[in-house]
Amino acid sequence: MKGLVLDAQWEPKPDYVVSDWERKTGKAITGNSVWRHPSLEVRDWPDPTPGPQEVLLEIQACGVCGSDMHFYERDDQDYILYPGLTKFPTILGHEFTGKVVEIGKAVTQLQPGDMVTVEEMIWCGRCIPCRNGYPNHCTNLEEIGFTIPGAFANYIAVDEKYCWKIDAIAERFGSEEKAYEVGAVTEPTCVSYNAMFERAGGFRPGHYVSVFGAGPIGLAAIGLSKAAGAGIIVSFEVSPQRLELAKQVGADYAYDPRAVTPSDVLMELSKGAGFDFHVEAAGAPEKVIPEMEKALAINGKIVQIGRAAQRVPMYLEAFQVRRAQAFGAQGHSGHETFPNVIRLVASGRLDLSPIITARYDLAGTLDAIAKSTKRADGKILVKPN
Ligand SMILES: [Zn+2]
Ligand SMILES: [Zn+2]
């Protein structure tokens, strides 16, 4: 089969201390400090064969994620930009849907022909965090499209326990093709859902919600806020195209944060009460958190989803005076998240189909990633088969 393969050289930066675990596993915990001179091309890769508990999926759609951009973009020393867990060579792509075409001997939940989407996090179920119910903090984590082969490819073999059926979405749309496309947005939507409702405990219907950043994660957060009954939803985003998408999926107001002072806007809209729930999906917390702090309602919550490896000035007095809380969140697994997001889409209460703004075939995957680096699109899909 074919796949978009990333290869790079293991050349740790001089100031980076390589741990024994990294040396033993060949996995870099901080990819940006280790992987140099990356090459990306669509090329031949051995066909996967499913193990006893695995299913073979013919991949139908795979979204381009911000992290895929960070493999494509390099720093001034030619290291990948992506800061997280990685092992190369591997096939990229982790936001996907597929059709089951073959099942292993011990598979019990799925059959050939089933339509599924898949978790990206291959949590082990055996480490202490997994056993305590925190699969998003698994210490033996493998990640599809980061440490093991991903879905910018014709096929993937994956344990059935990471697959979730999307036939209810197909029934909703009356189209398998549409269900495979919309289903590919499930994974990033689950990242937003996990952060907002599992980690931060959500908000009450009627509460005022601000979402900073309207890339796919922020757009999903807006759609989820609407579905959950927010009183007002405000989006801040620098791209004019994305501001339009924000309104299409549920934002009542959408602003370029360079043209206004976000905290003033939020205080005005709430008539001085402040906003109850703030979502950081911009990956720029050093700019965003100080604005959120100035617009905290009593009992206000701030949820950090965007990734940024830097310290942020926080004025904790604001959290004391406003009885406020900040929540860090990562991942999408466990806690009923995948099934609940699929239910919302199948019910029609969450429709993120407007955010899909471009489609490419497998041979065009590099063009798809290049387009995403313009940061103007919503979700770009690759449809390999
Ligand atoms: Zn992603
Ligand atoms: Zn684990």
Side-chain angles (χ1 to χ4, degrees):
M1 70 165 188
K2 300 269 190 214
L4 176 71
V5 179
L6 173 68
D7 205 352
Q9 281 156 36
W10 178 277
E11 276 182 37
K13 289 181 176 172
D15 57 342
Y16 185 74
V17 182
V18 177
S19 69
D20 286 345
W21 182 85
E22 288 176 304
R23 214 168 282 121
K24 206 170 68 203
T25 60
K27 290 187 233 180
I29 292 170
T30 308
N32 165 256
S33 298
V34 174
W35 297 109
R36 197 174 195 187
H37 306 311
S39 70
L40 266 170
E41 70 174 317
V42 176
R43 63 165 160 93
D44 288 323
W45 187 269
D47 286 339
T49 38
Q53 291 171 320
E54 290 182 334
V55 293
L56 183 69
L57 302 178
E58 183 187 65
I59 293 157
Q60 302 297 319
C62 182
V64 176
C65 172
S67 52
D68 298 314
M69 269 167 10
H70 294 149
F71 293 129
Y72 180 86
E73 299 172 319
R74 296 110 198 252
D75 70 13
D76 51 10
Q77 297 168 73
D78 207 30
Y79 285 86
I80 62 168
L81 278 192
Y82 183 71
L85 186 71
T86 33
K87 182 178 182 178
F88 301 123
T90 201
I91 296 174
L92 301 184
H94 61 272
E95 305 178 354
F96 63 103
T97 50
K99 179 184 282 184
V100 177
V101 290
E102 204 183 313
I103 61 171
K105 283 196 294 290
V107 166
T108 59
Q109 311 284 316
L110 293 172
Q111 297 187 341
D114 281 344
M115 309 171 64
V116 297
T117 187
V118 184
E119 297 174 41
E120 171 265 349
M121 307 178 77
I122 304 302
W123 41 273
C124 74
R126 311 189 71 86
C127 71
I128 300 293
C130 278
R131 290 166 61 194
N132 283 340
Y134 308 119
N136 294 310
H137 304 274
C138 174
T139 54
N140 298 317
L141 195 65
E142 296 285 358
E143 295 187 71
I144 292 177
F146 295 86
T147 65
I148 56 175
F152 290 134
N154 298 113
Y155 297 96
I156 192 169
V158 61
D159 191 309
E160 65 169 336
K161 77 178 181 187
Y162 306 108
C163 298
W164 297 92
K165 286 169 77 162
I166 56 166
D167 39 336
I169 297 178
E171 280 161 34
R172 170 86 203 170
F173 286 105
S175 152
E176 289 203 356
E177 187 176 9
K178 184 105 191 264
Y180 280 128
E181 290 193 355
V182 172
V185 188
T186 306
E187 188 270 346
T189 305
C190 289
V191 171
S192 300
Y193 187 109
N194 174 68
M196 296 166 68
F197 299 99
E198 168 56 27
R199 280 291 298 120
F203 56 82
R204 296 189 181 190
H207 272 174
Y208 289 175
V209 177
S210 85
V211 180
F212 286 70
I217 296 287
L219 291 168
I222 291 165
L224 287 167
S225 297
K226 187 175 162 83
I232 293 178
I233 304 166
V234 182
S235 164
F236 295 99
E237 162 65 45
V238 295
S239 150
Q241 293 94 320
R242 286 180 169 179
L243 283 176
E244 270 317 301
L245 293 175
K247 287 189 214 153
Q248 279 184 52
V249 296
D252 301 290
Y253 303 90
Y255 300 96
D256 183 333
R258 298 168 303 188
V260 297
T261 303
S263 54
D264 288 350
V265 167
L266 298 176
M267 290 309 280
E268 220 164 278
L269 285 170
S270 62
K271 302 196 175 10
F275 267 52
D276 305 280
F277 202 83
H278 300 268
V279 178
E280 206 289 338
E286 77 285 4
K287 292 187 189 128
V288 167
I289 302 289
E291 288 301 304
M292 292 174 167
E293 278 173 0
K294 288 182 214 142
L296 278 171
I298 291 171
N299 290 317
K301 296 178 180 179
I302 291 178
V303 193
Q304 182 66 37
I305 314 181
R307 308 304 293 240
Q310 58 187 323
R311 293 197 168 272
V312 173
M314 280 180 94
Y315 184 58
L316 294 178
E317 172 78 7
F319 288 81
Q320 294 172 285
V321 171
R322 305 305 278 173
R323 203 175 183 276
Q325 287 170 280
F327 298 87
Q330 68 170 15
H332 57 233
S333 291
H335 312 291
E336 307 174 31
T337 300
F338 266 74
N340 282 340
V341 166
I342 291 167
R343 283 180 177 185
L344 277 173
V345 177
S347 71
R349 288 189 167 80
L350 177 66
D351 183 5
L352 294 175
S353 53
I355 82 168
I356 299 167
T357 48
R359 294 160 180 82
Y360 289 80
D361 62 14
L362 184 58
T365 307
L366 269 180
D367 296 331
I369 297 175
K371 188 172 196 315
S372 76
T373 63
K374 308 277 188 284
R375 293 165 173 82
D377 276 271
K379 183 54 70 183
I380 299 175
L381 293 183
V382 173
K383 300 178 74 175
N385 289 300

